[in-house]
Amino acid sequence: MSDPLAIIGGAGAGLGQSLVRAFAQNGYTPIGLNRSVPDGAAGTTHAVDLSDPDQISQTVSDLIQTHGAPNLVVHNAAKLVIAGFAETTAAHFEATWRAMVLSAANLACNALPAMVKGGGGTFIVTGATASLRGGRNFAAFASAKAGLRALTQSLAREYGPQGIHVVHVVLDGIVDTDASRALHSMAPERMKKPADIARTYLALADQHRSTWTHEMDLGPMGEAF
Amino acid sequence: MSDPLAIIGGAGAGLGQSLVRAFAQNGYTPIGLNRSVPDGAAGTTHAVDLSDPDQISQTVSDLIQTHGAPNLVVHNAAKLVIAGFAETTAAHFEATWRAMVLSAANLACNALPAMVKGGGGTFIVTGATASLRGGRNFAAFASAKAGLRALTQSLAREYGPQGIHVVHVVLDGIVDTDASRALHSMAPERMKKPADIARTYLALADQHRSTWTHEMDLGPMGEAF
Amino acid sequence: MSDPLAIIGGAGAGLGQSLVRAFAQNGYTPIGLNRSVPDGAAGTTHAVDLSDPDQISQTVSDLIQTHGAPNLVVHNAAKLVIAGFAETTAAHFEATWRAMVLSAANLACNALPAMVKGGGGTFIVTGATASLRGGRNFAAFASAKAGLRALTQSLAREYGPQGIHVVHVVLDGIVDTDASRALHSMAPERMKKPADIARTYLALADQHRSTWTHEMDLGPMGEAF
Amino acid sequence: MSDPLAIIGGAGAGLGQSLVRAFAQNGYTPIGLNRSVPDGAAGTTHAVDLSDPDQISQTVSDLIQTHGAPNLVVHNAAKLVIAGFAETTAAHFEATWRAMVLSAANLACNALPAMVKGGGGTFIVTGATASLRGGRNFAAFASAKAGLRALTQSLAREYGPQGIHVVHVVLDGIVDTDASRALHSMAPERMKKPADIARTYLALADQHRSTWTHEMDLGPMGEAF
């Protein structure tokens, strides 16, 4: 029997590709979905617009036909907008909503019914501090992340009783990627390591049905809740 | 000097029109904005698509030219979708997001700068229990209401220090309107009275700068928090 | 018929006495209960240890015999401890717990049954930012305030259906009193005015059964939620 | 070098003893502290009153002298009171507060400074659904659990920057123990397995400093957040 399928929606150069690698090392057949395929990811990552219902429907349906229902699905797509409200346009609001809420709904509606038929599985959504509260310069990003969290909670309540473990993970602080090292002056040891996050996602996928986590935070030392 | 302007975005036959009436009785010049003008509301309510940035920009700009900057703005527009996730389409997600998040962003970006220049004012957003958490059959509605709450929090943090009182009111339970009496078998005395909600909104607009409320719930007896 | 009784548990020189005065001006017979009677409060304020079940039982029972069941009860007693955890002793934890949790339980268990028999009423609990989350230097204070909030929520769920409106008010920031002016360098206009808080408490007591608030914050401009 | 010390405060017959066993199997020297030593636990579990500052100070100090600073400390002590508020006495409130808040403060103030000196470690607190909100029949239990959570948050903010990972775990639903099987008619497969909880606690103790969890829930399938 082949390894179980793991789909990573939002598989760019940082955390997404780390999840692809970590899942491969832990017995999954991981397939990343991303607007563009990052360098070195050919074969494991497919170019697809997650916010387009038709593209996602076709892609996920193809994957299921080839690999069977996924055991693990991660929604990790995000679009960051940091701007004062006066500089935030309707287009910004729409872009963040498409990248986070609509893409997650598309992924869920194509993957979850197959997972239910397949006997269960885990659906992990990557959140952020902005998922829990708005803030100055985060009107667009926070409204989309909060909307994504509420969608995730709705899925948990609806699909939990059907055997699907739906989890929302709140990532506080900065993930250590090439992009964030270029952007932030923060000491790298204070940045969350993608491999550590991947380890937590794998542990969530391993939780027994009697002991599921539905929400947890992950943040560097000193950023206490 | 003329009465201060109050804009009610989302001024349909239920709570919205009650706010128009209550604000008129309390010294405001209330103008409702609604997709369609409900019976009997001509003159005080304008037909406009709140989710259309251009229409809102033109309408609010005209109102400000005539009446001066508003003292009070209420976002009360909502689109209710109750459906299992399998029956919830991308169009449902988009419709709730447009009706709640985008419309509030449009209203805020046209009203708030004028209010700041005008020396202050109150911006009240009508939320719901779904603003705080998702639930079965509420994936689309809750994701939009939660996004609206995060937008409101972002506005509060950005415009509070500029003298604008931004409040999120969580309405639990059913508002007593003709529509909800037709829809629900609930005893009317357990439904929230629009006039009582209006009284609370007026009290929020009256709060002193040292004593602002940023979030409160309003629900019938027995629906404790 | 005589004015309805209002009991203010925790009626020291600041907010407590403002509540006594405001309630008197609004048609209540207010009686403050406090460890010691502040200057000028004789007659309206009784010396009693709120954390002593026997004293509170006797005092509230006497008040009810004289005035009838209270219409309005406020728990406003607090003991502030600000100290690093290493300097916080078991005695600090006990003192904050007695002053806030136990005193509220004592007040509630003597007042609520009479209020139910009397046909209803309002029970308001004064919280703080620390009621919602712990913080550095606030281990003792936050643990007691959070415990008080959970007690209040329990009372709301148990007594709401019996007609008692139980509310938790989160006071953010500093109340403008002689003591806090001496303690803080903050500009007085950024401090919450006791009279404004009292106005909000009176408005809560006036809410119709279909439109109760169970939790709200009150904080100065710029301290957005 | 000997195995690192793990202290389990609250090591009764259910989850506490499972933690002792699981920690022993994973390279720790586990010592349980409990009011009484459960059958079969002699040697690994000491009888001590966690709510007595002097007893805890002596016991923890002895343990540190023998084993060095603990790497892992769990607060798992609880006292369940389920009663309507009218039947809940001051003694109930005190008993729950002693068993949960005071005992955790005692454990923390004796263990944390040694852990800081020892270079770090993990402090895990077992919470419950009642830690997040009060409820009918849970006035005493919820007020203590909420107080414990606020204490834990305060410790996280104060000791996180000093290298101590402080976590609050919200256990939803019933832990599968002999006692709970006797008490509840719930199907055992819907009860959380102590060994699964222990596995999560071990994973928390293994988290890298860049990727700490400060709060998570653990509950059976179908009890979504």
Side-chain angles (χ1 to χ4, degrees):
Chain A
M1 206 185 106
S2 65
D3 288 342
L5 174 64
I7 298 176
I8 300 98
L15 174 57
Q17 286 299 316
S18 283
L19 294 174
V20 169
R21 283 191 298 273
F23 293 173
Q25 287 158 11
N26 282 271
Y28 288 93
T29 298
I31 300 290
L33 307 180
N34 208 54
R35 188 176 298 268
S36 61
V37 179
D39 288 349
T44 61
T45 302
H46 300 194
V48 57
D49 179 356
L50 285 154
S51 69
D52 181 327
D54 295 332
Q55 283 190 44
I56 281 295
S57 169
Q58 187 61 55
T59 303
V60 173
S61 154
D62 290 351
L63 287 172
I64 291 172
Q65 216 153 12
T66 308
H67 301 278
N71 273 45
L72 175 55
V73 174
V74 175
H75 183 272
N76 184 55
K79 173 166 184 53
L80 184 59
V81 171
I82 304 182
F85 182 68
E87 285 74 47
T88 307
T89 64
H92 284 126
F93 277 98
E94 181 157 354
T96 54
W97 173 77
R98 284 191 174 278
M100 294 185 267
V101 179
L102 183 58
S103 64
N106 287 340
L107 195 57
C109 79
N110 286 290
L112 291 174
M115 293 165 80
V116 170
K117 267 193 228 160
T122 304
F123 191 95
I124 301 176
V125 173
T126 302
T129 306
S131 308
L132 303 181
R133 57 183 164 281
R136 179 190 299 275
N137 293 328
F138 281 91
F141 184 70
S143 77
K145 275 291 191 193
L148 173 59
R149 180 178 182 240
L151 165 59
T152 307
Q153 293 171 326
S154 302
L155 295 174
R157 290 183 178 276
E158 189 158 338
Y159 286 91
Q162 300 181 59
I164 310 297
H165 177 192
V166 181
V167 203
H168 185 253
V169 181
V170 178
L171 297 188
D172 289 319
I174 309 297
V175 177
D176 186 4
T177 64
D178 290 347
S180 57
R181 288 203 185 198
L183 202 67
H184 301 282
S185 58
M186 181 183 281
E189 70 268 18
R190 288 185 50 79
M191 296 180 176
K192 289 185 298 297
K193 305 306 162 211
D196 290 327
I197 300 173
R199 208 155 51 109
T200 295
Y201 281 25
L202 285 162
L204 288 169
D206 267 352
Q207 285 186 323
H208 185 270
R209 281 178 181 213
S210 78
T211 323
W212 280 350
T213 295
H214 293 100
E215 187 161 70
M216 67 187 301
D217 64 308
L218 277 179
M221 180 179 112
E223 305 235 347
F225 66 141
Chain B
M1 207 185 106
S2 66
D3 287 343
L5 173 64
I7 297 175
I8 300 97
L15 175 56
Q17 287 299 316
S18 282
L19 294 174
V20 169
R21 283 190 299 274
F23 293 174
Q25 289 158 11
N26 283 271
Y28 288 93
T29 299
I31 301 290
L33 307 180
N34 208 54
R35 187 176 298 269
S36 62
V37 178
D39 287 348
T44 62
T45 301
H46 300 194
V48 57
D49 180 354
L50 284 154
S51 70
D52 181 328
D54 295 333
Q55 282 191 45
I56 281 295
S57 169
Q58 187 61 54
T59 303
V60 173
S61 154
D62 289 351
L63 287 172
I64 291 173
Q65 217 153 11
T66 307
H67 300 279
N71 273 44
L72 175 56
V73 174
V74 175
H75 183 272
N76 185 53
K79 173 164 184 53
L80 185 59
V81 171
I82 305 182
F85 181 69
E87 285 74 47
T88 307
T89 63
H92 284 127
F93 277 98
E94 181 157 354
T96 55
W97 173 78
R98 284 190 172 278
M100 294 186 267
V101 179
L102 183 58
S103 65
N106 287 340
L107 195 57
C109 78
N110 286 290
L112 291 175
M115 293 166 81
V116 170
K117 266 192 229 161
T122 304
F123 192 96
I124 300 176
V125 173
T126 302
T129 306
S131 308
L132 304 182
R133 56 184 164 280
R136 180 190 298 276
N137 292 329
F138 282 90
F141 184 70
S143 76
K145 274 292 191 193
L148 173 59
R149 181 178 181 239
L151 165 58
T152 307
Q153 293 172 325
S154 302
L155 295 175
R157 290 182 179 275
E158 188 158 337
Y159 286 91
Q162 300 182 59
I164 309 298
H165 178 193
V166 180
V167 203
H168 186 253
V169 180
V170 177
L171 297 187
D172 289 318
I174 309 297
V175 177
D176 186 4
T177 64
D178 289 347
S180 57
R181 289 204 184 196
L183 202 67
H184 301 282
S185 59
M186 181 181 284
E189 69 268 20
R190 287 186 49 80
M191 297 179 176
K192 287 184 300 297
K193 306 306 162 209
D196 290 326
I197 301 173
R199 207 155 52 108
T200 295
Y201 282 24
L202 285 162
L204 288 169
D206 267 353
Q207 285 184 324
H208 184 270
R209 282 179 178 210
S210 77
T211 324
W212 280 351
T213 294
H214 293 101
E215 187 160 71
M216 67 187 300
D217 64 308
L218 278 179
M221 180 178 111
E223 305 235 347
F225 64 140
Chain C
M1 207 187 105
S2 66
D3 288 341
L5 173 64
I7 298 176
I8 300 98
L15 175 56
Q17 287 300 317
S18 282
L19 294 173
V20 169
R21 282 191 299 272
F23 294 173
Q25 289 158 11
N26 282 273
Y28 287 94
T29 298
I31 300 289
L33 307 179
N34 208 54
R35 188 175 297 268
S36 61
V37 178
D39 287 348
T44 61
T45 302
H46 300 194
V48 58
D49 179 356
L50 284 154
S51 69
D52 180 328
D54 294 332
Q55 282 191 44
I56 280 296
S57 169
Q58 188 60 54
T59 302
V60 172
S61 153
D62 289 352
L63 287 172
I64 291 172
Q65 217 152 13
T66 308
H67 301 278
N71 273 45
L72 176 55
V73 175
V74 176
H75 182 273
N76 185 54
K79 174 164 183 55
L80 185 59
V81 171
I82 304 181
F85 182 69
E87 284 74 46
T88 307
T89 64
H92 284 126
F93 278 98
E94 181 157 355
T96 55
W97 172 78
R98 284 191 173 278
M100 294 186 267
V101 179
L102 183 58
S103 64
N106 288 340
L107 195 58
C109 79
N110 286 290
L112 291 174
M115 292 166 81
V116 170
K117 265 193 229 161
T122 304
F123 192 96
I124 301 176
V125 173
T126 302
T129 305
S131 308
L132 304 182
R133 57 183 163 280
R136 180 190 298 275
N137 292 329
F138 281 90
F141 184 70
S143 76
K145 275 292 190 192
L148 173 59
R149 181 178 180 240
L151 165 58
T152 307
Q153 292 172 325
S154 302
L155 295 174
R157 289 183 180 276
E158 189 158 339
Y159 286 91
Q162 300 181 61
I164 309 297
H165 178 193
V166 180
V167 203
H168 185 253
V169 181
V170 177
L171 297 187
D172 289 319
I174 309 297
V175 177
D176 186 4
T177 64
D178 289 347
S180 57
R181 289 204 184 197
L183 202 67
H184 301 282
S185 59
M186 182 182 281
E189 70 267 19
R190 288 186 49 79
M191 296 179 175
K192 287 185 299 297
K193 306 305 160 208
D196 291 326
I197 301 173
R199 208 154 53 108
T200 294
Y201 282 25
L202 285 162
L204 288 169
D206 266 354
Q207 285 185 324
H208 184 270
R209 281 179 179 210
S210 77
T211 324
W212 279 351
T213 294
H214 293 102
E215 187 159 70
M216 67 188 299
D217 63 310
L218 278 179
M221 181 179 111
E223 306 236 346
F225 65 142
Chain D
M1 208 185 105
S2 67
D3 287 342
L5 174 63
I7 298 176
I8 301 96
L15 174 56
Q17 286 300 317
S18 282
L19 294 174
V20 169
R21 283 190 297 273
F23 293 173
Q25 289 158 11
N26 283 272
Y28 288 93
T29 299
I31 300 290
L33 308 179
N34 208 54
R35 187 176 298 269
S36 61
V37 178
D39 287 350
T44 61
T45 301
H46 300 194
V48 57
D49 179 355
L50 284 154
S51 70
D52 181 329
D54 294 334
Q55 283 190 44
I56 281 295
S57 169
Q58 187 61 54
T59 303
V60 173
S61 154
D62 290 352
L63 287 172
I64 291 172
Q65 217 154 13
T66 308
H67 301 279
N71 273 44
L72 176 54
V73 175
V74 175
H75 183 272
N76 185 54
K79 174 166 183 54
L80 185 58
V81 171
I82 304 181
F85 180 69
E87 285 74 46
T88 307
T89 64
H92 284 126
F93 277 98
E94 182 158 353
T96 55
W97 173 78
R98 284 191 172 279
M100 295 185 267
V101 179
L102 183 58
S103 65
N106 288 340
L107 195 57
C109 78
N110 286 290
L112 291 175
M115 293 167 81
V116 171
K117 267 193 229 161
T122 304
F123 191 96
I124 301 176
V125 173
T126 302
T129 305
S131 307
L132 303 182
R133 57 183 164 278
R136 180 190 298 275
N137 292 329
F138 282 91
F141 184 70
S143 77
K145 276 291 190 192
L148 173 58
R149 180 178 182 240
L151 165 58
T152 307
Q153 293 171 325
S154 302
L155 295 174
R157 289 182 179 276
E158 188 159 338
Y159 287 91
Q162 300 180 61
I164 309 298
H165 178 193
V166 181
V167 203
H168 186 253
V169 181
V170 177
L171 297 187
D172 288 319
I174 309 297
V175 177
D176 186 4
T177 64
D178 289 348
S180 57
R181 288 203 186 198
L183 203 66
H184 302 282
S185 59
M186 181 182 283
E189 70 268 20
R190 288 186 49 80
M191 296 180 175
K192 287 184 300 297
K193 307 304 161 212
D196 291 326
I197 300 173
R199 206 153 53 107
T200 294
Y201 282 24
L202 285 162
L204 288 170
D206 267 352
Q207 285 185 324
H208 184 270
R209 282 179 179 210
S210 78
T211 324
W212 279 351
T213 294
H214 293 101
E215 187 160 71
M216 67 187 300
D217 64 309
L218 278 179
M221 180 178 111
E223 305 236 347
F225 64 142

